[in-house]
């Protein structure tokens, strides 16, 4: 977008965005006022039918607070702007890297005087500690990327130097722990949070907490089936992660290496979260290119989650190992990362299968993926200490289990029917028949057991929805063939699971109606 005049005039469009979010104004007519330096007056021209009354409570959770939407959504003047960072972005990064001097870690973060901090603080209502308590006991259990030690220290020590993305991150944490109404994409909190993230990013700021904000925003969008926003948001997070050097493969980093062990671990977990969410989003549109590269051969996994939350310093496990085992000290978030890596390999296998002439080599690779995924699923189940008990999978293990099962379904769908192998040089073979047998047996075993394993505990991780839906499709397929009671019961359990998830995450409500189409005989 082109702005005439000074940089301040361009930055002042931030106020226009937030004014619209608060008052339902659309269009770009206000920019001419900014350009000409005039006061904006919509008293005669702006339609008033859709303006929310100052006394009308728009938020679904407004009953929890006496404050109204008018007070929660602040009035932002047209001349407000995002305060600049301590250092300007070095153009040498893109123009001449031979003359690039790496910056300090937080050099390009928004200053503490930024209007973003004020806006986010008004919406938080000085509720930072309560937001953290809710977040770390719920959402954090399956996506533990934020340093609990760091953020609690910043909250309890008000004199600690921090950038304005601290409040924005708290706002994203509040968003992820809030149950919106029937239209999550239209909730005030989501609109404001997304607008703030976009404004900080557009202003040229680059910092770890901004990437974490985009990770949480993506997770919220994915959990409520807000597409294509989730796909676009995680792409932005990936680009910023590459820019900041979170990916260890980058040769010329923008920033100096992390000064502390805790910060490096938080960077690693954030980058893994970007990788996990992006690969999960690509399960269905698997033809789209990835924004994040594959992990390098020296990539490390996140350390054990309990040690991470307690601030302990312990060794990290390597991603590439000869076998998956429950004996190691690998945590459940690391298992989720392993599962996402295996999912990525299956997606790439699917892409390569369409163009290969080496059918035997492709089938051998498929067998290797089958055995690796089976071993990974077993290690996830064994790593979760409550798995065999009545309580079932803990929320921390649900994400890893769901991604692993989705990867297995995606692999088996390529080979369950050998009449159409979808390759350039398709030909019947003994290896093809063997892989078909493994696929059919794998689908049946997972379909009949996945739902009971998941639903021993309350499903809390939104990644389970896709896993349950794929399970339902396979159960429906088997029911059309042989009407087995085991598959009928599994299908009913899937319906119950999606209804349970749908109470918190809208994506469950998106999948549930499709089940009647899959298997109408069950009602």
């Amino acid at each position: 977008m082109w702005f005439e005049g000074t940089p301040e005039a361009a930055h002042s469009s931030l106020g226009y965005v937030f004014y619209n979010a608060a008052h339902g104004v659309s269009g770009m007519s206000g920019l001419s006022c900014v350009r000409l330096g005039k006061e904006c007056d919509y008293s005669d021209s702006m339609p008033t039918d859709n303006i929310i009354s100052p006394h009308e409570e728009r938020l679904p959770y407004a009953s929890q607070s006496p404050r109204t939407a008018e007070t929660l959504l602040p009035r932002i003047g047209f001349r407000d702007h995002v305060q600049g960072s301590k250092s300007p972005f070095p153009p040498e990064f893109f123009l001449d890297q031979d003359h690039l001097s790496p910056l300090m870690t937080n050099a390009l973060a928004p200053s503490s005087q930024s209007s973003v901090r004020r806006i986010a603080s008004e919406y938080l209502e000085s509720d930072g500690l309560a937001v953290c308590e809710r977040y770390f006991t719920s959402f954090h259990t399956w996506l533990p990327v934020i340093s609990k030690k760091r953020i609690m220290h910043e909250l309890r020590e008000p004199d600690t130097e921090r950038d304005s993305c601290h409040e924005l991150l708290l706002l994203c944490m509040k968003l992820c722990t809030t149950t919106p109404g029937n239209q999550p994409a239209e909730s005030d909190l989501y609109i404001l949070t997304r607008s703030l993230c976009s404004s900080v990013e557009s202003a040229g700021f680059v910092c770890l907490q901004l990437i974490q904000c985009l990770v949480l925003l993506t997770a919220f969008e994915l959990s409520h089936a807000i597409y294509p926003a989730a796909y676009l948001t995680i792409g932005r997070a990936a680009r910023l992660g590459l820019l900041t050097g979170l990916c260890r493969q980058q040769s010329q980093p923008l920033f100096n290496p992390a000064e502390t062990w805790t910060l490096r671990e938080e960077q690693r977990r954030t980058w893994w979260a970007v990788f996990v969410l992006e690969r999960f989003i690509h399960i269905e549109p698997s033809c789209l290119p990835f924004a994040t590269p594959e992990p390098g051969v020296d990539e490390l996994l996140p350390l054990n989650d309990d040690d991470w939350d307690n601030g302990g310093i312990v060794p990290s496990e390597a991603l590439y190992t000869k076998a998956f085992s429950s004996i190691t000290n690998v945590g459940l978030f690391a298992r989720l990362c392993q599962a996402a890596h295996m999912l990525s390999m299956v997606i790439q296998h699917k892409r390569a299968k369409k163009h290969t002439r080496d059918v035997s080599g492709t089938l051998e690779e498929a067998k290797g993926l089958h055995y690796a995924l089976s071993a990974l699923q077993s290690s996830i189940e064994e790593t979760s200490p409550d798995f065999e008990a009545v309580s079932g999978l803990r929320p921390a293990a649900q994400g890893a289990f769901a991604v692993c099962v989705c990867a297995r379904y995606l692999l088996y769908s390529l080979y369950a029917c050998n009449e159409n192998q979808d390759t350039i040089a398709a030909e019947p073979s003994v290896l093809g028949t063997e892989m078909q047998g493994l696929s059919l047996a794998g689908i049946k075993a997972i379909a009949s057991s996945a739902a009971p394993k998941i639903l021993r505990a309350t499903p809390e991780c939104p990644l389970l929805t896709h896993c349950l839906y794929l399970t339902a499709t396979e159960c429906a397929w088997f029911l059309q063939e042989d009407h087995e009671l085991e598959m009928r019961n599994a299908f009913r359990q899937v319906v119950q699971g999606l209804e349970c998830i749908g109470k918190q995450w809208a994506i469950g409500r998106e999948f549930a109606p499709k089940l009647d189409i899959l298997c109408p005989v069950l009602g």
Side-chain angles (χ1 to χ4, degrees), residues 31-43:
L31 292 180
S32 61
C33 302
V34 174
R35 179 171 56 85
L36 299 175
K38 295 181 177 181
E39 293 294 327
C40 296
D41 183 8
Y42 294 93
S43 57

Side-chain angles (χ1 to χ4, degrees), residues 304-338:
N304 184 280
D305 304 318
D306 292 334
D307 292 317
W308 165 244
D309 285 335
N310 295 329
I313 300 178
V314 296
S316 299
E317 301 275 351
L319 170 65
Y320 291 97
T321 56
K322 293 183 178 180
F324 298 110
S325 172
S326 60
I327 301 176
T328 62
N329 195 35
V330 172
L332 290 172
F333 181 57
R335 293 297 186 195
L336 174 59
C337 298
Q338 289 176 325

Side-chain angles (χ1 to χ4, degrees), residues 66-192:
R67 300 183 67 187
T68 63
E70 180 69 16
T71 59
L72 286 172
L73 285 174
R75 290 180 177 272
I76 309 301
F78 281 95
R79 297 191 181 279
D80 281 0
H81 65 276
V82 179
Q83 187 74 21
S85 61
K86 300 175 183 178
S87 304
F89 186 93
E92 294 84 4
F93 186 85
F94 291 100
L95 301 179
D96 187 358
Q97 290 203 348
D98 289 338
H99 293 83
L100 174 67
S101 297
L103 304 175
M104 298 298 292
T105 304
N106 224 30
L108 298 180
S111 74
S112 59
Q113 304 302 317
S114 170
S115 58
V116 172
R117 183 175 190 178
R118 174 174 56 82
I119 297 166
S121 297
E122 287 186 32
Y123 214 99
L124 287 169
E125 304 176 16
S126 303
D127 197 26
L129 284 174
V131 168
C132 286
E133 289 176 1
R134 289 195 300 270
Y135 176 83
F136 285 115
T137 57
S138 57
F139 205 87
H140 179 82
T141 57
W142 68 271
L143 197 65
V145 298
I146 299 172
S147 171
K148 184 177 180 180
K149 179 175 68 173
R150 175 187 59 78
I151 202 164
M152 295 302 287
H153 172 74
E154 291 176 352
L155 282 171
R156 289 168 177 160
E157 299 293 337
D159 295 333
T160 302
E161 183 179 356
R162 57 178 183 264
D163 60 71
S164 61
C165 276
H166 169 81
E167 282 76 16
L168 183 55
L169 183 57
L170 290 175
L171 197 65
C172 291
M173 293 163 66
K174 181 173 182 176
L175 176 68
C176 290
T177 55
T178 300
T179 302
N182 293 328
Q183 299 295 330
E186 298 177 7
S187 71
D188 291 331
L189 181 56
Y190 169 69
I191 292 172
L192 181 63

Side-chain angles (χ1 to χ4, degrees), residues 441-474:
I443 290 174
K444 189 168 185 178
I446 299 174
S448 60
S449 64
K453 288 177 179 178
I454 292 171
L455 299 176
R456 286 187 191 134
T458 302
E460 298 181 27
C461 177
L463 302 184
L464 287 173
T465 51
H466 206 96
C467 170
L468 288 172
Y469 179 72
L470 291 177
T471 298
T473 62
E474 302 302 342

